[in-house]
Amino acid sequence: MKRAVVVFSGGQDSTTCLIQALAQYDEVHCVTFDYGQRHRAEIDVARELAHQLGARAHKVLDVTLLNELAVSSLTRDNIPVPVYDASDRGVPNTFVPGRNILFLTLAAIYAYQVQAETVITGVCETDFSGYPDCRNEFVKALNHAVALGMARDVRFETPLMWLNKAETWALADYWGKMRLVRQKTLSCYNGIRGDGCTECAACRLRANGLHAYEADRPGIMAQMKQKTGLN
């Protein structure tokens, strides 16, 4: 039996990963992290979607210690979430230092317990928003360290790593779940479901990708299939 663990936030990217995993694995577990995040509604959204989509299990882990250590606009209410600025190439204040290090490590431990061979995460280097822990180099390095430390060949999969947001919409559409992803997921840094606040970086990136996909569905679908190897 092929088993996978999906790092699941209830956002566009992780939901698209979950939808694909459910089609490709016999058993899929979701793990969501409560780190005292600003947009805590995502935990409820993740619970709802994991159940609706048919995950085998959904575990919510308390990692609020991260909130004590990592200062970010996503962990501190007194730090405003920035509006989207396409010219800003630095690390944004929405970056939570160490978040993916912690999340992927804990997800791998959970995978060990449920005998899953794969941990799936929706990180993406193409549209990574300046987050250093969304890069392919980081994921591969951590995967190597975790596999050594547990003496188990747990594989980290990143289905969206080389897709842009338009292609991520195409992937959801490929699996017949584009409407669900648009209406039911929560990507917004201000905690608004669906199309969100329209002003934060997450909402603008998501909307720009959607508009690009809708403007050229056949072309972008073809690009996505070429990158992912889907038929």
Side-chain angles (χ1 to χ4, degrees):
M1 178 177 285
K2 292 174 61 181
R3 296 186 180 93
V5 171
V6 175
V7 178
F8 190 54
S9 70
Q12 175 190 1
D13 293 342
S14 65
T15 302
T16 302
C17 287
L18 173 59
I19 289 164
Q20 177 165 276
L22 287 164
Q24 296 178 336
Y25 288 85
D26 302 307
E27 187 175 290
V28 179
H29 296 247
C30 292
V31 58
T32 298
F33 297 98
D34 179 355
Y35 60 98
Q37 56 266 56
R38 184 185 197 124
H39 44 298
R40 294 180 57 77
E42 72 177 29
I43 298 172
D44 294 329
V45 170
R47 283 195 181 100
E48 177 186 319
L49 287 171
H51 175 74
Q52 180 179 348
L53 290 168
R56 173 66 177 81
H58 179 224
K59 184 176 287 292
V60 178
L61 295 180
D62 183 348
V63 291
T64 47
L65 62 90
L66 180 62
N67 190 290
E68 298 179 26
L69 300 173
V71 177
S72 160
S73 63
L74 298 190
T75 60
R76 298 290 187 276
D77 289 338
N78 64 338
I79 302 176
V81 172
V83 297
Y84 178 71
D85 182 356
S87 66
D88 188 357
R89 298 301 181 204
V91 177
N93 74 11
T94 51
F95 173 59
V96 182
R99 182 171 60 176
N100 283 342
I101 297 172
L102 181 62
F103 287 6
L104 287 170
T105 301
L106 293 175
I109 297 169
Y110 182 54
Y112 187 102
Q113 297 303 321
V114 300
Q115 298 183 316
E117 63 200 63
T118 306
V119 170
I120 299 172
T121 176
V123 300
C124 169
E125 185 164 322
T126 305
D127 281 330
F128 79 132
S129 301
Y131 293 175
D133 60 357
C134 288
R135 294 174 298 175
N136 189 55
E137 181 182 8
F138 157 75
V139 175
K140 287 186 176 298
L142 184 63
N143 195 171
H144 180 65
V146 166
L148 284 175
M150 296 199 305
R152 175 76 66 85
D153 187 21
V154 177
R155 183 176 68 255
F156 290 177
E157 284 190 1
T158 54
L160 311 183
M161 181 60 74
W162 306 115
L163 302 185
N164 59 36
K165 269 292 182 288
E167 292 160 348
T168 300
W169 282 112
L171 184 60
D173 200 13
Y174 175 88
W175 294 112
K177 298 292 187 182
M178 183 174 167
R179 178 178 294 182
L180 178 143
V181 170
R182 181 171 183 182
Q183 296 178 350
K184 300 295 185 180
T185 62
L186 194 163
S187 303
C188 175
Y189 290 147
N190 289 304
I192 302 172
R193 198 167 180 161
D195 291 336
C197 72
T198 74
E199 294 297 328
C200 72
C203 285
R204 291 292 295 275
L205 191 63
R206 173 175 162 139
N208 290 345
L210 178 61
H211 295 155
Y213 178 56
E214 289 180 331
D216 182 18
R217 289 191 179 217
I220 291 173
M221 181 67 77
Q223 290 171 197
M224 181 278 293
K225 288 180 178 180
Q226 184 177 31
K227 289 183 179 181
T228 60
L230 295 170
N231 296 320

